[in-house]
Amino acid sequence: MPILITAEELAARLSSGELTVVLDVRWSLAEPDGTEAYRAGHVPGAVYVDLDAELADHDLAGQGRHPLPTEGAFTSAMRRWGLRDGDVVVVMDDLGNQSSARAWWLLRHAGVADVRMLDGGLAAWREAGHPLDTGDVVPEPGDATAHFGGMPVVDIDEAAAFPATGVLLDARGAPRYRGEVEPIDPRAGHIPGARSAPSGENLDADGRFKSAEELREHFAGVGVTGGVPVAAYCGSGVTAAHEVAALAIAGIGAALYPGSWSQWSNDETRPVATGVSPVE
């Protein structure tokens, strides 16, 4: 199944009446609630998705800032969005898919076969001259059911052991990886053995994903070659999903460590590395 859809392709699907569920996942650390931005202008028919409330389970202690939701909770969210079995789903944001990739990953994990990210996000839609709607979209409830297991996952112990046999990628910005700054979590640095591959480097200057060939070259530069096992983490498991998506575009399968640095750094028994090399 394709991973990306262009603004032109999405507009053609919507205008032809092809059943397409569009999910608007606007979120950022600075503006975690994207409701007002969504209401001010969104792709026609798009349903707003609350990343913090619907793509995470904050009742789980010790699992990081964005633990994965339960199957039951995610089923309820999918049905609120109007999803039915067999639907084509398009996810989007205004952040180069850095937040909507979390929805892409969870939907794939839940067994939804055809999930695509709007390449370039809302900016690409606007630049192509397509219209925006305002206000809220409240669809008829769907009947889809989440069945987790569609995407590989590693836990904290598996993440610790991963560099011994594979490549563990850190999708945060390089200064956080090196331990020079840490604006959120209690300790600065990275998981020993992890390699720095900031998720922002998956995108071109226009906020679109680089080509499959460019991404393969990029990941080869951090050791992802020859069928080596790959896993990714970030601060709290959100932009790591973007890394998994970029790897998938490059034709490389990868596991997600959902707890990510927010779980690791809060566990004082876990060692921390700093500097530019994987272990220091």
Side-chain angles (χ1 to χ4, degrees):
M1 291 291 181
I3 297 169
L4 301 175
I5 188 170
T6 67
E8 291 75 14
E9 289 168 339
L10 177 56
R13 287 189 65 89
L14 296 178
S15 64
S16 69
E18 288 184 270
L19 185 58
T20 309
V21 177
V22 183
L23 303 179
D24 189 314
V25 196
R26 275 184 259 186
W27 173 92
S28 70
L29 286 172
E31 292 289 341
D33 185 352
T35 308
E36 291 308 313
Y38 160 81
R39 289 173 177 160
H42 55 77
V43 172
V47 178
Y48 177 69
V49 173
D50 187 326
L51 186 148
D52 278 323
E54 297 179 300
L55 306 184
D57 183 353
H58 297 287
D59 291 332
L60 294 176
Q63 300 297 310
R65 285 194 307 281
H66 289 104
L68 299 183
T70 64
E71 277 189 348
F74 196 61
T75 293
S76 296
M78 291 167 67
R79 292 179 178 181
R80 185 191 76 77
W81 306 332
L83 266 63
R84 297 184 177 277
D85 291 336
D87 280 350
V88 174
V89 185
V90 175
V91 299
M92 54 146 298
D93 59 26
D94 59 357
L95 199 64
N97 285 297
Q98 296 270 12
S99 59
S100 61
R102 171 79 170 203
W104 170 85
W105 187 93
L106 269 168
L107 287 162
R108 292 293 308 275
H109 188 47
V112 180
D114 196 344
V115 189
R116 313 177 195 185
M117 292 176 286
L118 175 58
D119 200 17
L122 190 65
W125 182 265
R126 284 175 168 149
E127 288 165 11
H130 300 305
L132 296 175
D133 281 354
T134 58
D136 290 311
V137 174
V138 181
E140 289 292 321
D143 59 7
T145 301
H147 299 286
F148 285 168
M151 299 290 276
V153 177
V154 296
D155 63 20
I156 192 169
D157 291 326
E158 292 166 327
F162 208 91
T165 56
V167 176
L168 180 63
L169 298 178
D170 186 321
R172 299 173 301 159
R176 288 184 71 190
Y177 170 87
R178 294 192 296 264
E180 297 167 3
V181 297
E182 183 45 68
I184 307 166
D185 295 310
R187 293 189 289 166
H190 58 267
I191 296 173
R195 305 183 188 191
S196 180
S199 59
E201 295 181 2
N202 301 328
L203 304 173
D204 64 18
D206 294 324
R208 292 171 171 81
F209 278 96
K210 294 177 180 177
S211 70
E213 182 178 354
E214 289 172 320
L215 288 169
R216 280 192 290 272
E217 291 177 359
H218 166 64
F219 289 118
V222 290
V224 181
T225 57
V228 63
V230 185
Y233 75 94
C234 58
S236 67
V238 174
T239 56
H242 193 274
E243 196 92 315
V244 173
L247 286 157
I249 292 167
I252 301 164
L256 178 75
Y257 168 32
S260 286
W261 188 248
S262 58
Q263 180 185 33
W264 186 279
S265 63
N266 275 282
D267 184 342
E268 295 183 356
T269 69
R270 303 289 173 171
V272 169
T274 57
V276 296
S277 63
V279 181
E280 195 167 297

mmCIF file of all heavy atoms in Angstrom, residues 95-132:
data_model
loop_
_atom_site.group_PDB
_atom_site.id
_atom_site.type_symbol
_atom_site.label_atom_id
_atom_site.label_comp_id
_atom_site.label_asym_id
_atom_site.label_seq_id
_atom_site.Cartn_x
_atom_site.Cartn_y
_atom_site.Cartn_z
ATOM 1 N N LEU A 95 2.960 20.091 10.201
ATOM 2 C CA LEU A 95 4.295 19.956 10.768
ATOM 3 C C LEU A 95 5.122 18.922 9.998
ATOM 4 O O LEU A 95 5.914 18.188 10.570
ATOM 5 C CB LEU A 95 4.173 19.554 12.245
ATOM 6 C CG LEU A 95 5.355 19.769 13.191
ATOM 7 C CD1 LEU A 95 5.675 21.255 13.333
ATOM 8 C CD2 LEU A 95 5.060 19.159 14.560
ATOM 9 N N GLY A 96 4.896 18.832 8.688
ATOM 10 C CA GLY A 96 5.647 17.864 7.903
ATOM 11 C C GLY A 96 5.378 16.424 8.281
ATOM 12 O O GLY A 96 6.228 15.555 8.115
ATOM 13 N N ASN A 97 4.168 16.173 8.789
ATOM 14 C CA ASN A 97 3.741 14.845 9.240
ATOM 15 C C ASN A 97 4.468 14.368 10.495
ATOM 16 O O ASN A 97 4.379 13.192 10.849
ATOM 17 C CB ASN A 97 3.873 13.799 8.119
ATOM 18 C CG ASN A 97 2.775 13.940 7.080
ATOM 19 O OD1 ASN A 97 1.598 13.774 7.364
ATOM 20 N ND2 ASN A 97 3.173 14.274 5.861
ATOM 21 N N GLN A 98 5.121 15.282 11.197
ATOM 22 C CA GLN A 98 5.816 14.898 12.421
ATOM 23 C C GLN A 98 4.846 14.454 13.516
ATOM 24 O O GLN A 98 5.199 13.646 14.375
ATOM 25 C CB GLN A 98 6.678 16.067 12.926
ATOM 26 C CG GLN A 98 7.792 16.473 12.003
ATOM 27 C CD GLN A 98 9.098 15.748 12.263
ATOM 28 O OE1 GLN A 98 9.152 14.778 12.992
ATOM 29 N NE2 GLN A 98 10.169 16.223 11.659
ATOM 30 N N SER A 99 3.642 14.981 13.518
ATOM 31 C CA SER A 99 2.652 14.523 14.495
ATOM 32 C C SER A 99 1.684 13.511 13.898
ATOM 33 O O SER A 99 1.320 12.522 14.542
ATOM 34 C CB SER A 99 1.876 15.704 15.091
ATOM 35 O OG SER A 99 1.207 16.458 14.099
ATOM 36 N N SER A 100 1.264 13.705 12.641
ATOM 37 C CA SER A 100 0.283 12.789 12.058
ATOM 38 C C SER A 100 0.874 11.403 11.813
ATOM 39 O O SER A 100 0.129 10.418 11.702
ATOM 40 C CB SER A 100 -0.289 13.357 10.756
ATOM 41 O OG SER A 100 0.708 13.541 9.789
ATOM 42 N N ALA A 101 2.208 11.288 11.760
ATOM 43 C CA ALA A 101 2.820 9.960 11.619
ATOM 44 C C ALA A 101 2.462 9.065 12.786
ATOM 45 O O ALA A 101 2.410 7.841 12.639
ATOM 46 C CB ALA A 101 4.337 10.093 11.494
ATOM 47 N N ARG A 102 2.193 9.657 13.947
ATOM 48 C CA ARG A 102 1.756 8.845 15.096
ATOM 49 C C ARG A 102 0.426 8.162 14.786
ATOM 50 O O ARG A 102 0.230 6.985 15.117
ATOM 51 C CB ARG A 102 1.623 9.735 16.333
ATOM 52 C CG ARG A 102 0.975 9.095 17.557
ATOM 53 C CD ARG A 102 1.922 8.201 18.327
ATOM 54 N NE ARG A 102 1.342 7.797 19.607
ATOM 55 C CZ ARG A 102 2.037 7.404 20.666
ATOM 56 N NH1 ARG A 102 3.354 7.351 20.604
ATOM 57 N NH2 ARG A 102 1.438 7.052 21.783
ATOM 58 N N ALA A 103 -0.495 8.891 14.145
ATOM 59 C CA ALA A 103 -1.768 8.291 13.749
ATOM 60 C C ALA A 103 -1.563 7.257 12.658
ATOM 61 O O ALA A 103 -2.194 6.186 12.669
ATOM 62 C CB ALA A 103 -2.740 9.372 13.288
ATOM 63 N N TRP A 104 -0.687 7.574 11.689
ATOM 64 C CA TRP A 104 -0.371 6.602 10.631
ATOM 65 C C TRP A 104 0.113 5.300 11.249
ATOM 66 O O TRP A 104 -0.366 4.212 10.911
ATOM 67 C CB TRP A 104 0.695 7.182 9.695
ATOM 68 C CG TRP A 104 1.253 6.193 8.716
ATOM 69 C CD1 TRP A 104 0.726 5.845 7.505
ATOM 70 C CD2 TRP A 104 2.455 5.410 8.871
ATOM 71 N NE1 TRP A 104 1.518 4.885 6.901
ATOM 72 C CE2 TRP A 104 2.581 4.595 7.716
ATOM 73 C CE3 TRP A 104 3.426 5.314 9.882
ATOM 74 C CZ2 TRP A 104 3.640 3.707 7.540
ATOM 75 C CZ3 TRP A 104 4.479 4.426 9.706
ATOM 76 C CH2 TRP A 104 4.582 3.637 8.547
ATOM 77 N N TRP A 105 1.062 5.414 12.181
ATOM 78 C CA TRP A 105 1.642 4.219 12.793
ATOM 79 C C TRP A 105 0.592 3.440 13.593
ATOM 80 O O TRP A 105 0.496 2.207 13.471
ATOM 81 C CB TRP A 105 2.813 4.615 13.696
ATOM 82 C CG TRP A 105 3.572 3.431 14.221
ATOM 83 C CD1 TRP A 105 4.671 2.850 13.666
ATOM 84 C CD2 TRP A 105 3.259 2.664 15.389
ATOM 85 N NE1 TRP A 105 5.072 1.760 14.420
ATOM 86 C CE2 TRP A 105 4.216 1.629 15.488
ATOM 87 C CE3 TRP A 105 2.264 2.754 16.366
ATOM 88 C CZ2 TRP A 105 4.220 0.686 16.515
ATOM 89 C CZ3 TRP A 105 2.244 1.811 17.395
ATOM 90 C CH2 TRP A 105 3.216 0.793 17.463
ATOM 91 N N LEU A 106 -0.185 4.130 14.413
ATOM 92 C CA LEU A 106 -1.190 3.453 15.242
ATOM 93 C C LEU A 106 -2.263 2.780 14.399
ATOM 94 O O LEU A 106 -2.701 1.664 14.718
ATOM 95 C CB LEU A 106 -1.831 4.439 16.216
ATOM 96 C CG LEU A 106 -1.152 4.557 17.588
ATOM 97 C CD1 LEU A 106 -1.696 5.767 18.335
ATOM 98 C CD2 LEU A 106 -1.348 3.288 18.407
ATOM 99 N N LEU A 107 -2.695 3.430 13.342
ATOM 100 C CA LEU A 107 -3.707 2.826 12.466
ATOM 101 C C LEU A 107 -3.152 1.580 11.782
ATOM 102 O O LEU A 107 -3.851 0.565 11.670
ATOM 103 C CB LEU A 107 -4.198 3.847 11.442
ATOM 104 C CG LEU A 107 -5.109 4.940 12.012
ATOM 105 C CD1 LEU A 107 -5.191 6.124 11.063
ATOM 106 C CD2 LEU A 107 -6.506 4.386 12.298
ATOM 107 N N ARG A 108 -1.908 1.634 11.346
ATOM 108 C CA ARG A 108 -1.288 0.447 10.763
ATOM 109 C C ARG A 108 -1.139 -0.640 11.827
ATOM 110 O O ARG A 108 -1.366 -1.827 11.550
ATOM 111 C CB ARG A 108 0.078 0.800 10.166
ATOM 112 C CG ARG A 108 0.018 1.701 8.932
ATOM 113 C CD ARG A 108 -0.620 1.008 7.739
ATOM 114 N NE ARG A 108 -0.004 -0.277 7.448
ATOM 115 C CZ ARG A 108 1.093 -0.427 6.700
ATOM 116 N NH1 ARG A 108 1.683 0.644 6.162
ATOM 117 N NH2 ARG A 108 1.594 -1.618 6.483
ATOM 118 N N HIS A 109 -0.749 -0.243 13.017
ATOM 119 C CA HIS A 109 -0.606 -1.183 14.136
ATOM 120 C C HIS A 109 -1.947 -1.833 14.471
ATOM 121 O O HIS A 109 -2.000 -3.010 14.852
ATOM 122 C CB HIS A 109 -0.065 -0.425 15.353
ATOM 123 C CG HIS A 109 0.319 -1.291 16.515
ATOM 124 N ND1 HIS A 109 1.079 -2.430 16.388
ATOM 125 C CD2 HIS A 109 0.053 -1.158 17.854
ATOM 126 C CE1 HIS A 109 1.273 -2.975 17.583
ATOM 127 N NE2 HIS A 109 0.655 -2.225 18.474
ATOM 128 N N ALA A 110 -3.031 -1.066 14.292
ATOM 129 C CA ALA A 110 -4.378 -1.546 14.613
ATOM 130 C C ALA A 110 -4.971 -2.407 13.516
ATOM 131 O O ALA A 110 -6.080 -2.925 13.669
ATOM 132 C CB ALA A 110 -5.297 -0.361 14.899
ATOM 133 N N GLY A 111 -4.272 -2.532 12.377
ATOM 134 C CA GLY A 111 -4.750 -3.401 11.320
ATOM 135 C C GLY A 111 -5.398 -2.702 10.145
ATOM 136 O O GLY A 111 -5.942 -3.370 9.258
ATOM 137 N N VAL A 112 -5.384 -1.365 10.113
ATOM 138 C CA VAL A 112 -5.940 -0.637 8.971
ATOM 139 C C VAL A 112 -4.944 -0.750 7.819
ATOM 140 O O VAL A 112 -3.787 -0.336 7.941
ATOM 141 C CB VAL A 112 -6.222 0.831 9.324
ATOM 142 C CG1 VAL A 112 -6.793 1.567 8.111
ATOM 143 C CG2 VAL A 112 -7.178 0.913 10.505
ATOM 144 N N ALA A 113 -5.387 -1.301 6.708
ATOM 145 C CA ALA A 113 -4.459 -1.652 5.627
ATOM 146 C C ALA A 113 -3.979 -0.453 4.828
ATOM 147 O O ALA A 113 -2.809 -0.381 4.443
ATOM 148 C CB ALA A 113 -5.117 -2.663 4.690
ATOM 149 N N ASP A 114 -4.872 0.510 4.552
ATOM 150 C CA ASP A 114 -4.543 1.611 3.642
ATOM 151 C C ASP A 114 -4.586 2.932 4.393
ATOM 152 O O ASP A 114 -5.640 3.551 4.542
ATOM 153 C CB ASP A 114 -5.511 1.621 2.463
ATOM 154 C CG ASP A 114 -5.006 2.470 1.290
ATOM 155 O OD1 ASP A 114 -4.080 3.284 1.511
ATOM 156 O OD2 ASP A 114 -5.536 2.319 0.175
ATOM 157 N N VAL A 115 -3.434 3.337 4.897
ATOM 158 C CA VAL A 115 -3.282 4.612 5.607
ATOM 159 C C VAL A 115 -2.189 5.397 4.911
ATOM 160 O O VAL A 115 -1.087 4.885 4.706
ATOM 161 C CB VAL A 115 -2.900 4.403 7.090
ATOM 162 C CG1 VAL A 115 -2.976 5.740 7.830
ATOM 163 C CG2 VAL A 115 -3.760 3.355 7.759
ATOM 164 N N ARG A 116 -2.481 6.645 4.559
ATOM 165 C CA ARG A 116 -1.517 7.460 3.830
ATOM 166 C C ARG A 116 -1.346 8.801 4.540
ATOM 167 O O ARG A 116 -2.287 9.329 5.128
ATOM 168 C CB ARG A 116 -1.978 7.691 2.394
ATOM 169 C CG ARG A 116 -2.458 6.407 1.710
ATOM 170 C CD ARG A 116 -2.970 6.657 0.310
ATOM 171 N NE ARG A 116 -3.749 5.518 -0.187
ATOM 172 C CZ ARG A 116 -4.229 5.418 -1.413
ATOM 173 N NH1 ARG A 116 -4.017 6.403 -2.283
ATOM 174 N NH2 ARG A 116 -4.924 4.362 -1.777
ATOM 175 N N MET A 117 -0.146 9.340 4.445
ATOM 176 C CA MET A 117 0.130 10.669 4.964
ATOM 177 C C MET A 117 0.077 11.678 3.825
ATOM 178 O O MET A 117 0.617 11.414 2.742
ATOM 179 C CB MET A 117 1.507 10.703 5.630
ATOM 180 C CG MET A 117 1.588 9.878 6.901
ATOM 181 S SD MET A 117 3.270 9.835 7.595
ATOM 182 C CE MET A 117 4.060 8.728 6.420
ATOM 183 N N LEU A 118 -0.569 12.808 4.074
ATOM 184 C CA LEU A 118 -0.618 13.874 3.074
ATOM 185 C C LEU A 118 0.759 14.508 2.999
ATOM 186 O O LEU A 118 1.185 15.215 3.923
ATOM 187 C CB LEU A 118 -1.668 14.917 3.438
ATOM 188 C CG LEU A 118 -1.743 16.141 2.531
ATOM 189 C CD1 LEU A 118 -2.020 15.750 1.081
ATOM 190 C CD2 LEU A 118 -2.806 17.117 3.030
ATOM 191 N N ASP A 119 1.490 14.245 1.923
ATOM 192 C CA ASP A 119 2.860 14.721 1.812
ATOM 193 C C ASP A 119 2.882 16.244 1.746
ATOM 194 O O ASP A 119 2.226 16.857 0.897
ATOM 195 C CB ASP A 119 3.513 14.124 0.561
ATOM 196 C CG ASP A 119 5.026 14.159 0.624
ATOM 197 O OD1 ASP A 119 5.579 14.339 1.727
ATOM 198 O OD2 ASP A 119 5.658 13.977 -0.431
ATOM 199 N N GLY A 120 3.631 16.837 2.662
ATOM 200 C CA GLY A 120 3.680 18.294 2.733
ATOM 201 C C GLY A 120 2.620 18.889 3.630
ATOM 202 O O GLY A 120 2.651 20.091 3.923
ATOM 203 N N GLY A 121 1.651 18.060 4.054
ATOM 204 C CA GLY A 121 0.640 18.500 4.998
ATOM 205 C C GLY A 121 -0.244 19.628 4.494
ATOM 206 O O GLY A 121 -0.462 19.800 3.287
ATOM 207 N N LEU A 122 -0.744 20.405 5.440
ATOM 208 C CA LEU A 122 -1.678 21.474 5.115
ATOM 209 C C LEU A 122 -1.056 22.514 4.186
ATOM 210 O O LEU A 122 -1.739 23.081 3.324
ATOM 211 C CB LEU A 122 -2.175 22.142 6.396
ATOM 212 C CG LEU A 122 -3.339 23.121 6.235
ATOM 213 C CD1 LEU A 122 -4.598 22.396 5.769
ATOM 214 C CD2 LEU A 122 -3.614 23.856 7.550
ATOM 215 N N ALA A 123 0.251 22.745 4.326
ATOM 216 C CA ALA A 123 0.917 23.727 3.460
ATOM 217 C C ALA A 123 0.834 23.305 1.998
ATOM 218 O O ALA A 123 0.567 24.131 1.115
ATOM 219 C CB ALA A 123 2.373 23.895 3.882
ATOM 220 N N ALA A 124 1.025 22.023 1.733
ATOM 221 C CA ALA A 124 0.949 21.538 0.350
ATOM 222 C C ALA A 124 -0.467 21.676 -0.195
ATOM 223 O O ALA A 124 -0.661 22.012 -1.370
ATOM 224 C CB ALA A 124 1.401 20.080 0.288
ATOM 225 N N TRP A 125 -1.456 21.423 0.658
ATOM 226 C CA TRP A 125 -2.856 21.564 0.244
ATOM 227 C C TRP A 125 -3.153 23.008 -0.139
ATOM 228 O O TRP A 125 -3.767 23.295 -1.173
ATOM 229 C CB TRP A 125 -3.761 21.099 1.373
ATOM 230 C CG TRP A 125 -5.223 21.143 1.069
ATOM 231 C CD1 TRP A 125 -6.104 22.153 1.377
ATOM 232 C CD2 TRP A 125 -6.006 20.135 0.397
ATOM 233 N NE1 TRP A 125 -7.367 21.839 0.945
ATOM 234 C CE2 TRP A 125 -7.339 20.604 0.343
ATOM 235 C CE3 TRP A 125 -5.710 18.897 -0.149
ATOM 236 C CZ2 TRP A 125 -8.365 19.873 -0.237
ATOM 237 C CZ3 TRP A 125 -6.726 18.164 -0.732
ATOM 238 C CH2 TRP A 125 -8.034 18.649 -0.776
ATOM 239 N N ARG A 126 -2.694 23.925 0.686
ATOM 240 C CA ARG A 126 -2.917 25.351 0.413
ATOM 241 C C ARG A 126 -2.179 25.799 -0.837
ATOM 242 O O ARG A 126 -2.728 26.522 -1.677
ATOM 243 C CB ARG A 126 -2.451 26.181 1.616
ATOM 244 C CG ARG A 126 -3.394 26.157 2.814
ATOM 245 C CD ARG A 126 -2.764 26.900 3.963
ATOM 246 N NE ARG A 126 -3.691 27.166 5.052
ATOM 247 C CZ ARG A 126 -3.347 27.247 6.334
ATOM 248 N NH1 ARG A 126 -2.076 27.067 6.675
ATOM 249 N NH2 ARG A 126 -4.251 27.500 7.260
ATOM 250 N N GLU A 127 -0.927 25.379 -0.959
ATOM 251 C CA GLU A 127 -0.120 25.798 -2.102
ATOM 252 C C GLU A 127 -0.712 25.317 -3.422
ATOM 253 O O GLU A 127 -0.546 25.966 -4.463
ATOM 254 C CB GLU A 127 1.309 25.277 -1.945
ATOM 255 C CG GLU A 127 2.100 26.008 -0.866
ATOM 256 C CD GLU A 127 3.370 25.265 -0.482
ATOM 257 O OE1 GLU A 127 3.728 24.294 -1.205
ATOM 258 O OE2 GLU A 127 3.999 25.644 0.524
ATOM 259 N N ALA A 128 -1.411 24.185 -3.365
ATOM 260 C CA ALA A 128 -2.043 23.661 -4.576
ATOM 261 C C ALA A 128 -3.352 24.376 -4.897
ATOM 262 O O ALA A 128 -3.983 24.094 -5.920
ATOM 263 C CB ALA A 128 -2.293 22.160 -4.426
ATOM 264 N N GLY A 129 -3.764 25.311 -4.037
ATOM 265 C CA GLY A 129 -4.956 26.110 -4.286
ATOM 266 C C GLY A 129 -6.261 25.437 -3.920
ATOM 267 O O GLY A 129 -7.331 25.886 -4.362
ATOM 268 N N HIS A 130 -6.209 24.397 -3.109
ATOM 269 C CA HIS A 130 -7.430 23.697 -2.738
ATOM 270 C C HIS A 130 -8.127 24.411 -1.576
ATOM 271 O O HIS A 130 -7.484 25.059 -0.751
ATOM 272 C CB HIS A 130 -7.127 22.248 -2.371
ATOM 273 C CG HIS A 130 -6.493 21.481 -3.488
ATOM 274 N ND1 HIS A 130 -7.073 21.393 -4.739
ATOM 275 C CD2 HIS A 130 -5.318 20.780 -3.547
ATOM 276 C CE1 HIS A 130 -6.299 20.656 -5.521
ATOM 277 N NE2 HIS A 130 -5.236 20.290 -4.836
ATOM 278 N N PRO A 131 -9.455 24.291 -1.488
ATOM 279 C CA PRO A 131 -10.209 25.038 -0.483
ATOM 280 C C PRO A 131 -10.071 24.451 0.918
ATOM 281 O O PRO A 131 -9.687 23.293 1.094
ATOM 282 C CB PRO A 131 -11.655 24.901 -0.969
ATOM 283 C CG PRO A 131 -11.674 23.582 -1.682
ATOM 284 C CD PRO A 131 -10.339 23.485 -2.363
ATOM 285 N N LEU A 132 -10.388 25.292 1.891
ATOM 286 C CA LEU A 132 -10.437 24.880 3.290
ATOM 287 C C LEU A 132 -11.840 25.086 3.820
ATOM 288 O O LEU A 132 -12.540 26.017 3.420
ATOM 289 C CB LEU A 132 -9.459 25.697 4.137
ATOM 290 C CG LEU A 132 -7.958 25.550 3.821
ATOM 291 C CD1 LEU A 132 -7.164 26.528 4.676
ATOM 292 C CD2 LEU A 132 -7.477 24.131 4.061
#
